Amino acid sequence: DVKVTQSSRYLVKRTGEKVFLECVQDMDHENMFWYRQDPGLGLRLIYFSYDVKMKEKGDIPEGYSVSREKKERFSLILESASTNQTSMYLCASTKREGNQETQYFGPGTRLLVL
Amino acid sequence: AQKVTQAQTEISVVEKEDVTLDCVYETRDTTYYLFWYKQPPSGELVFLIRRNSFDEQNEISGRYSWNFQKSTSSFNFTITASQVVDSAVYFCALSPFAGNTPLVFGKGTRLSVIA
């Protein structure tokens, strides 16, 4: 059974703080993804990674960075949190074979930036 | 460019009614995959179905059915005899058949089933 976990379900931070969102998967998946979800905008891809130490920008990378030091862990970093980064953040993973593989999601982190 | 449109932002139905969620996609690829995900109030997206563009047969799984029409670029999802537990946001998504690229999601349809 595929398991994608995220470090926090709810998080409250202050403007200017550095924020780390952690995602871990236990299925030896090569590909990992970070999305944010906002009402009326659906899911938007922030960053993704196809392998350790590799990263690719998604549709909205501004204000974010990522780290993939280990295969099972993909971290999303908000260097200086701003109120417009208040959102639901979702992590996902798939096998390397890619498009025919199902993307599995974590439970999400609801981040509030005050 | 690829695009998925879910024109219905929100739908409300009374329990036991049938409901269809629309999904229209755009792609220049001749082969591709289509997906549906369910996001209950708990937040986690749950995979429902993957369909490749070779196979236009409709699929039924319990109260769920999917109608894939390549001619109209649609992949609609019907819930028969809806239940309160079906209340969720439903996302349709698309990817090319080959390669290793992120999914393109629609904006989702929020379904509320009222008892």
Side-chain angles (χ1 to χ4, degrees), chain A residues 9 31 33 35 37 40-43 45 48 50 88 90 94-107 110, chain B residues 9 33 35 37 39-47 50 89 91 95-103 105-108:
Chain A
R9 293 299 301 270
N31 304 339
F33 308 84
Y35 297 87
Q37 181 181 6
L41 298 178
L43 273 70
L45 182 64
F48 57 103
Y50 290 143
M88 169 75 141
L90 290 157
T94 67
K95 294 180 186 177
R96 181 186 299 283
E97 286 73 23
N99 293 354
Q100 69 270 32
E101 298 296 328
T102 298
Q103 199 165 117
Y104 292 95
F105 284 82
R110 295 185 187 275
Chain B
T9 306
Y33 286 101
F35 301 78
Y37 283 84
Q39 186 183 38
S42 59
E44 181 175 343
L45 267 76
V46 177
F47 166 76
R50 180 183 67 242
V89 181
F91 290 95
S95 73
F97 191 83
N100 195 20
T101 53
L103 292 174
F105 283 90
K107 293 186 177 180

Side-chain angles (χ1 to χ4, degrees), chain B residues 60-112:
Chain B
I60 298 173
S61 176
R63 296 184 296 107
Y64 294 172
S65 62
W66 290 269
N67 183 349
F68 176 36
Q69 300 265 355
K70 206 167 182 178
S71 59
T72 56
S73 297
S74 66
F75 187 43
N76 296 337
F77 173 30
T78 297
I79 302 174
T80 302
S82 60
Q83 299 176 1
V84 172
V85 293
D86 296 326
S87 296
V89 181
Y90 291 87
F91 290 95
C92 181
L94 167 71
S95 73
F97 191 83
N100 195 20
T101 53
L103 292 174
V104 174
F105 283 90
K107 293 186 177 180
T109 297
R110 181 177 298 278
L111 173 66
S112 297

Side-chain angles (χ1 to χ4, degrees), chain A residues 2 4 23-35 45 47-52 54 56 68 70-74 91-105, chain B residues 99-103:
Chain A
V2 177
V4 180
C23 176
V24 176
Q25 49 88 11
D26 65 359
M27 285 302 293
D28 203 35
H29 284 173
E30 288 80 9
N31 304 339
M32 298 187 75
F33 308 84
W34 273 108
Y35 297 87
L45 182 64
Y47 267 97
F48 57 103
S49 170
Y50 290 143
D51 207 341
V52 176
M54 292 181 65
E56 299 280 347
R68 185 101 182 263
K70 292 185 178 181
K71 190 177 185 180
E72 67 272 17
R73 186 181 298 270
F74 191 35
C91 176
S93 71
T94 67
K95 294 180 186 177
R96 181 186 299 283
E97 286 73 23
N99 293 354
Q100 69 270 32
E101 298 296 328
T102 298
Q103 199 165 117
Y104 292 95
F105 284 82
Chain B
N100 195 20
T101 53
L103 292 174

Side-chain angles (χ1 to χ4, degrees), chain A:
Chain A
D1 205 22
V2 177
K3 192 74 173 175
V4 180
T5 57
Q6 295 183 229
S7 50
S8 304
R9 293 299 301 270
Y10 300 93
L11 210 51
V12 180
K13 296 291 181 181
R14 298 216 172 265
T15 302
E17 279 193 73
K18 190 168 185 176
V19 181
F20 292 87
L21 302 183
E22 304 286 342
C23 176
V24 176
Q25 49 88 11
D26 65 359
M27 285 302 293
D28 203 35
H29 284 173
E30 288 80 9
N31 304 339
M32 298 187 75
F33 308 84
W34 273 108
Y35 297 87
R36 66 177 280 177
Q37 181 181 6
D38 301 287
L41 298 178
L43 273 70
R44 293 182 291 168
L45 182 64
I46 305 172
Y47 267 97
F48 57 103
S49 170
Y50 290 143
D51 207 341
V52 176
K53 298 194 184 294
M54 292 181 65
K55 60 182 179 183
E56 299 280 347
K57 291 181 179 180
D59 300 318
I60 52 163
E62 296 78 18
Y64 303 94
S65 62
V66 290
S67 173
R68 185 101 182 263
E69 295 296 318
K70 292 185 178 181
K71 190 177 185 180
E72 67 272 17
R73 186 181 298 270
F74 191 35
S75 302
L76 180 69
I77 304 157
L78 287 65
E79 294 289 344
S80 178
S82 62
T83 54
N84 63 13
Q85 291 178 310
T86 290
S87 187
M88 169 75 141
Y89 290 88
L90 290 157
C91 176
S93 71
T94 67
K95 294 180 186 177
R96 181 186 299 283
E97 286 73 23
N99 293 354
Q100 69 270 32
E101 298 296 328
T102 298
Q103 199 165 117
Y104 292 95
F105 284 82
T109 296
R110 295 185 187 275
L111 172 66
L112 173 62
V113 182
L114 300 174

